[in-house]
Amino acid sequence: HDLRTPLYSINALAEICLQDPALPSKVRANLSTISQSGTSLLHIVNDLLDLQQLHSGKITFHPIPTDVFQLVQNCIHMFNPQFQTKSLQCNVNIEVSFRAYMVKLDPQRLRQILVNLIGNALKFTDHGYVTVAVSYVQCCMQIKVIDTGIGIKPEEIAKLFQCFSQLDNSKSRFLKGSGLGLSIVKLLTEQMGGSVGVSSIYGKGSTFTVRLPCDIMTDMPTQSSLLEVEPPKIESRPPRHPTFSNQVRNFFNRFRRSNTRTRNELSNITSCNIETESGVDTSIPPLILLAEDNAVSQIVTQQLLNGICICNVANNGMEAIEMLESGKPYRIILMDTQMPILDGIETTIAIRKKEEYNNIPIIAFTASVFPSERQKCIESG
C-alpha cells in the first residue's frame, strides 16, 4: 500500500498535466518520461511484491467458474497497441471445449501468467506473429505462446526462469526489464499444480508451454456459447443512455484495469443528454463524496473529476458519515479502505445500515491486491 499509492499519484498527475494542449514541447517530453518511468517502476514493484508472496507461500488461489475464451481475448486486447505499433500478426487458437464451457480455476492468476508470456513474446518479436493457443491435453489446459522473435540460445534456456536473469545477447540487453516475469510464471504455474517449459530456435522464435490441471464444467456453458445457440431477443425501443451512476461505475472499472489514466475517458462519464435517475435535477453538476485521508490522493482524484462533477472530501470515515447525513444529494461515494478514526470497511457497514443510503453506489479505493480485501469490500456493501 505504501509503495503503490505514491506511484499511482505520480502517474496520474503526470497524465493529467499531459492533457494540457498548451504545454511547451520540452515540458511535455519531460512529463512523458516521468509517466513512462513511473509506470515501469510500478510494474517492478508489483512483480517484487508478487515474488515475495510466492516465495513465502502467502499467495492463495481462488478457483471459480471462468470463461477462458473471454479471458484470453481480454488479455490480447490489452496488447493491441503494441501489436499495431510493431505491425505484428496476432493469432488466437482456442479449442472448442474452452469456448463452450466454463473452467474452474483462478482467473486472476491465469491472467497474470498470460500477460507475462504475451508481453515477453511481444518484447522480443519485431517481425512476424505471436500466437496464443489453448487446448485440452491429458486432463490439463495447455497454453502455448509462440513467437517469431529472436529466439534463445540453448545455453541460455537453463537460466531463463531464474529471478533477475537477463539473456546474454544484444537484443535482450537493449530491452531492459526486471527479469522477474518468467520467474513469476514458473512459480505461479507450479503452485497451481502445473508445469512450464520452453523450446526455441535461436534467430527464429520461441514457444512457451504452460500446463495447468483444470476442471471443464460441462454443466455450465459460457455466455458466448449460449448466444451462439440462441441469440437474445431485441425489443424495439428507443436507445437508452446509461445513467450517471452506471457510467461512473464503468469508468472506475476501466480505471482499475488500466495503467493509463487519461482525462479523455472521464469526459464521457456525463453529458447533458444522459438519462437521469428518478428525482435527480440534471441542471446541477453531480455531487460525489470522496472519503480519503491521503492529501495527494485527494488532489489526484479531484483533478480527475474536475469538470465532471462536484467532489466533496472527507478526511476519514466519521467525517464521511457526517457529510452524508447533512442531506446533500450525493450520487456516488468513493471510499478509501484505509483511513484513521473509522476505516472504509467500517464506514461502509455503518452507511448500509441506514436504508435511505442503500441506493448510493460505494466504490472502494485500495492499493491492496489481496482477494481477501476485495471480499471484505463486497461483504461490507
Side-chain angles (χ1 to χ4, degrees), residues 263-336:
R263 292 287 308 284
N264 295 334
E265 283 191 350
L266 281 162
S267 65
N268 295 323
I269 288 182
T270 178
S271 69
C272 58
N273 295 321
I274 63 173
E275 182 185 33
T276 61
E277 294 101 332
S278 175
V280 176
D281 183 359
T282 55
S283 64
I284 303 172
L287 191 60
I288 281 183
L289 175 57
L290 169 65
E292 169 65 70
D293 66 307
N294 184 285
V296 177
S297 295
Q298 290 175 0
I299 293 169
V300 171
T301 307
Q302 286 178 301
Q303 290 198 28
L304 283 168
L305 295 172
N306 185 36
I308 294 167
C309 60
I310 298 172
C311 184
N312 291 170
V313 177
N315 294 295
N316 55 65
M318 192 65 71
E319 281 188 21
I321 293 173
E322 290 172 358
M323 292 172 70
L324 193 60
E325 291 176 342
S326 70
K328 290 184 179 180
Y330 290 109
R331 307 280 293 283
I332 301 282
I333 301 173
L334 306 180
M335 186 74 69
D336 181 20

Side-chain angles (χ1 to χ4, degrees), residues 95-160:
E95 190 174 298
V96 65
S97 54
F98 292 111
R99 292 173 179 261
Y101 301 110
M102 304 291 275
V103 180
K104 193 169 185 180
L105 46 73
D106 188 324
Q108 179 183 347
R109 301 308 172 189
L110 176 59
R111 185 182 296 107
Q112 197 170 1
I113 291 169
L114 282 167
V115 166
N116 272 304
L117 290 178
I118 297 169
N120 188 72
L122 271 168
K123 183 190 294 185
F124 295 104
T125 304
D126 290 331
H127 307 284
Y129 61 83
V130 173
T131 296
V132 180
V134 183
S135 57
Y136 191 67
V137 177
Q138 297 178 348
C139 300
C140 290
M141 177 173 61
Q142 178 173 276
I143 303 167
K144 286 182 177 286
V145 177
I146 308 161
D147 66 64
T148 54
I150 61 172
I152 306 164
K153 295 177 182 178
E155 61 269 24
E156 298 287 335
I157 289 179
K159 67 177 185 180
L160 197 60

Side-chain angles (χ1 to χ4, degrees), residues 80-99:
N80 275 348
Q82 290 95 315
F83 278 107
Q84 293 172 4
T85 300
K86 287 190 161 188
S87 299
L88 293 174
Q89 181 179 340
C90 176
N91 305 311
V92 181
N93 302 317
I94 300 180
E95 190 174 298
V96 65
S97 54
F98 292 111
R99 292 173 179 261

Side-chain angles (χ1 to χ4, degrees), residues 150-213:
I150 61 172
I152 306 164
K153 295 177 182 178
E155 61 269 24
E156 298 287 335
I157 289 179
K159 67 177 185 180
L160 197 60
F161 296 100
Q162 295 174 9
C163 295
F164 305 106
S165 66
Q166 299 283 350
L167 300 189
D168 186 21
N169 61 60
S170 59
K171 177 70 173 179
S172 64
R173 283 197 297 268
F174 178 73
L175 296 169
K176 292 291 185 181
S178 65
L180 295 175
L182 292 177
S183 302
I184 290 172
V185 167
K186 184 174 188 293
L187 288 167
L188 279 173
T189 301
E190 290 177 349
Q191 291 191 26
M192 293 171 75
S195 62
V196 60
V198 60
S199 60
S200 183
I201 299 176
Y202 185 62
K204 292 189 176 181
S206 305
T207 299
F208 285 83
T209 303
V210 169
R211 284 193 179 185
L212 294 171

